[in-house]
């Protein structure tokens, strides 16, 4: 059944016009909407490229604009360490610094603090000298050492929001404990209590700062549903997070984006309890084209993943297309996971494009599989840019096509 509806954010504040989400149309669980931020609109569903340290690796902001990206991510942990918040503020925030005037979403830093911290701890266990120790999680926050120079730091919910205010993003994420799936249910339950407490503290600090960045722009805040692979914890989490008036709701956890079957299961649990009127963000989802199709079919609006850029750099290029069979979007490709390996010798003299009809800058310029293979084999820097533009544009185009399908365009 298809029906049209327009739902405004319930937030009624003097500055609420700076952020809104309108849901235009749905098809089954699939949703098409528009997110309005101080730096422009984002049409959903959307794939968001990841600009880890203030650049989508191998691309500059002009290249990213050419992929027709509407919003990018910045990583709070990395930007906090380098260039640091003093430089960031002196340069007027991340938009000005990287010459990107469209929306930016920042993560909370929680995931990197734990994943890089864990990586450091494991290296130390193996006797690798790193000059650092792992992380220490307390109810107040997370103590960690920089993976760059071993210097000690601590992130609390308030500190994470403050750093995101200094970055000046349009959408901030609440600070949470990114829970590895390997943890016991007992640990997961304890972690969830902490994550919920931190979500409330982020919410309160956000309100205290009038929901504004240090540059005066409105910043929205999304809460994150955690709970690992435990249904009761996920349900408790979605109830708690949606009880706070966040501007959007995100789904986090190790499984989301990296284990499609597990992601599917978690989404089936939580989706019915998510408010229709708010944007829904599946964090880290978008490794393969099929992931975006499945995420949209499960009722989610926003996706991000470092994989399209990373895979491109490693010689994996997306091929395939979205077809609509029996009223459902289906991704079809001649290659497993929709990825071709450009290093293969069969492409040595292949004068075809990566994909016929692709509207990325690389394919539009007519660069052949043979040329890309040659650049890849000779480790030419140009390869990284050409490959990344294709993969990023591929994922964004997919979300555009899904949106058109939902809107019956
Ligand atoms: Zn292309």
């Amino acid at each position: 059944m298809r029906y049209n509806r327009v739902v405004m954010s319930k937030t009624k504040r003097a500055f609420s016009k700076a952020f809104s989400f309108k849901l235009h149309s749905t098809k089954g669980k699939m949703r098409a909407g528009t997110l309005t931020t101080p730096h422009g609109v984002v049409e959903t569903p959307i794939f968001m490229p990841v600009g880890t340290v203030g650049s989508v690796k191998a691309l500059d902001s002009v290249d990213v604009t050419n992929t027709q990206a509407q919003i990018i991510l910045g990583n709070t942990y990395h930007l906090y360490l380098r260039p640091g918040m003093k430089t960031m503020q002196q340069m007027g925030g991340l938009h000005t610094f990287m010459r990107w005037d469209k929306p930016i979403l920042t993560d909370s830093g929680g995931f990197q603090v734990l994943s890089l911290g864990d990586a450091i701890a494991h290296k130390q266990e193996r006797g690798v000298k790193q000059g650092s120790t792992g992380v220490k999680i307390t109810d107040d926050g997370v103590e960690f050492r920089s993976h760059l120079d071993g210097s000690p730091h601590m992130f609390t919910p308030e500190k994470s929001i403050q750093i995101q205010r200094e970055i000046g993003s349009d959408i901030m994420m609440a600070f949470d404990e990114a829970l590895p799936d390997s943890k016991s249910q007992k640990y997961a339950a304890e972690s969830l209590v902490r994550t919920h407490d931190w979500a409330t503290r982020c919410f309160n600090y956000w309100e205290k700062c009038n929901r504004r960045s240090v540059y005066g722009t409105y910043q929205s805040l999304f809460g994150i549903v955690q709970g690992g692979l435990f249904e009761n914890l996920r349900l408790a989490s979605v109830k708690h997070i949606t009880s706070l008036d966040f501007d959007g709701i995100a789904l986090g956890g190790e499984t989301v984006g990296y284990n499609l079957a597990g992601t599917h299961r978690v989404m089936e649990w939580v989706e019915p309890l998510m408010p229709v009127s708010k944007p829904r963000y599946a964090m880290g989802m978008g490794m393969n084209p099929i992931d975006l199709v499945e995420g949209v079919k499960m009722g989610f609006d926003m996706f991000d993943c470092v994989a399209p850029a990373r895979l491109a750099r490693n010689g994996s290029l997306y091929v395939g297309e979205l077809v609509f069979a029996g009223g459902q979007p289906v991704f079809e490709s001649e290659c497993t996971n929709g990825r071709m390996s450009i290093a293969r010798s069969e492409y040595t003299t292949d004068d075809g494009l990566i994909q016929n009809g692709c509207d990325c800058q690389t394919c539009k310029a007519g660069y052949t599989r043979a040329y890309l293979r040659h650049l890849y084999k000779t480790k030419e820097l140009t390869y990284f840019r050409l490959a990344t533009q294709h993969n990023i544009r591929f994922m964004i185009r997919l979300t555009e096509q899904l949106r058109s399908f939902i809107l019956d365009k």
Side-chain angles (χ1 to χ4, degrees):
M1 187 180 79
R2 179 179 171 269
Y3 58 97
N4 289 308
R5 58 190 304 174
V6 176
V7 185
M8 289 293 291
S9 167
K10 284 180 191 159
T11 313
K12 288 192 176 58
R13 289 170 182 275
F15 42 78
S16 67
K17 281 181 185 149
F19 180 88
S20 66
F21 178 68
K22 289 183 187 179
L23 186 61
H24 303 302
S25 185
T26 61
K27 233 179 214 178
K29 284 184 184 172
M30 293 180 278
R31 296 147 50 95
T34 301
L35 206 69
T36 303
T37 79
H39 286 89
V41 300
V42 178
E43 295 183 329
T44 64
I46 188 66
F47 174 75
M48 308 182 283
V50 182
T52 310
V53 295
S55 95
V56 177
K57 282 192 199 312
L59 306 185
D60 76 340
S61 293
V62 176
D63 293 331
V64 178
T65 301
N66 285 334
T67 67
Q68 296 174 54
Q70 300 179 54
I71 176 172
I72 58 167
L73 251 78
N75 283 127
T76 291
Y77 169 87
H78 290 291
L79 291 166
Y80 162 78
L81 293 178
R82 286 186 309 194
M85 288 306 110
K86 195 167 164 230
T87 301
M88 184 62 76
Q89 286 197 66
Q90 281 176 350
M91 297 313 294
L94 186 57
H95 288 93
T96 315
F97 191 39
M98 68 179 289
R99 313 304 293 170
W100 172 261
D101 60 6
K102 293 191 175 78
I104 294 176
L105 182 150
T106 40
D107 63 7
S108 70
F111 179 77
Q112 271 85 19
V113 159
L114 294 175
S115 60
L116 291 171
D118 267 348
I120 292 164
H122 289 146
K123 273 184 184 171
Q124 284 197 321
E125 279 166 21
R126 298 200 311 268
V128 178
K129 250 198 170 159
Q130 189 78 10
S132 310
T133 61
V135 296
K136 187 179 168 200
I137 303 168
T138 66
D139 288 344
D140 196 36
V142 181
E143 290 174 33
F144 64 98
R145 286 179 184 273
S146 160
H147 73 288
L148 301 170
D149 61 7
S151 55
H153 301 270
M154 178 161 186
F155 276 5
T156 61
E158 294 80 10
K159 179 82 182 275
S160 167
I161 298 296
Q162 183 57 27
I163 299 167
Q164 295 181 73
R165 294 183 67 232
E166 290 164 0
I167 294 170
S169 55
D170 298 274
I171 300 173
M172 304 188 288
M173 301 305 298
F175 189 66
D176 63 346
E177 183 179 341
L179 183 73
D181 290 337
S182 55
K183 298 285 187 185
S184 67
Q185 184 159 2
K186 182 171 176 289
Y187 183 90
E190 287 165 11
S191 161
L192 195 60
V193 170
R194 206 158 30 231
T195 282
H196 289 170
D197 178 48
W198 291 355
T200 305
R201 282 169 58 187
C202 285
F203 187 91
N204 291 341
Y205 190 71
W206 178 50
E207 293 279 67
K208 194 177 149 198
C209 300
N210 289 324
R211 305 183 170 197
R212 300 256 163 186
S213 73
V214 300
Y215 313 101
T217 53
Y218 181 87
Q219 289 183 291
S220 58
L221 179 65
F222 283 23
I224 306 175
V225 173
Q226 289 284 356
L229 290 170
F230 305 104
E231 184 176 5
N232 59 333
L233 298 183
R234 284 286 180 181
L235 293 177
S237 189
V238 71
K239 279 178 192 155
H240 180 87
I241 296 300
T242 56
S243 73
L244 295 163
D245 193 20
F246 287 114
D247 284 335
I249 308 296
L251 188 62
E254 189 178 39
T255 291
V256 179
Y258 288 88
N259 165 1
L260 196 52
T263 304
H264 210 271
R265 207 150 30 109
V266 173
M267 285 180 163
E268 266 181 341
W269 296 333
V270 302
E271 191 276 336
L273 295 176
M274 293 184 120
V276 173
S277 60
K278 290 183 180 180
R280 305 161 172 185
Y281 166 26
M283 301 181 78
M285 191 169 190
M287 180 160 44
N288 297 316
I290 183 77
D291 299 2
L292 294 182
V293 180
E294 291 303 312
V296 169
K297 281 164 84 171
M298 291 301 293
F300 282 73
D301 309 307
M302 302 163 71
F303 308 90
D304 80 284
C305 192
V306 291
R310 186 178 290 159
L311 288 166
R313 296 197 298 277
N314 292 328
S316 268
L317 303 176
Y318 294 135
V319 284
E321 62 184 342
L322 205 56
V323 296
F324 298 94
Q328 286 293 317
V330 178
F331 181 76
E332 288 186 347
S333 178
E334 75 234 40
C335 301
T336 311
N337 292 324
R339 309 193 311 224
M340 64 177 280
S341 296
I342 198 68
R344 290 171 66 152
S345 57
E346 67 191 85
Y347 302 126
T348 308
T349 57
D350 187 334
D351 62 0
L353 302 173
I354 305 168
Q355 171 152 325
N356 281 331
C358 176
D359 62 353
C360 83
Q361 296 296 307
T362 304
C363 293
K364 275 204 305 194
Y367 294 117
T368 60
R369 291 177 169 188
Y371 183 57
L372 284 158
R373 177 180 186 273
H374 162 69
L375 295 180
Y376 178 74
K377 297 296 275 186
T378 51
K379 298 186 169 57
E380 277 298 304
L381 296 181
T382 305
Y383 167 78
F384 296 107
R385 175 167 168 267
L386 296 181
T388 305
Q389 330 195 101
H390 171 82
N391 273 10
I392 299 274
R393 175 64 197 141
F394 192 99
M395 296 300 253
I396 291 171
R397 188 172 59 237
L398 213 55
T399 50
E400 289 170 357
Q401 290 168 337
L402 287 162
R403 177 182 168 86
S404 295
F405 172 69
I406 299 163
L407 292 172
D408 273 334
K409 273 188 180 170

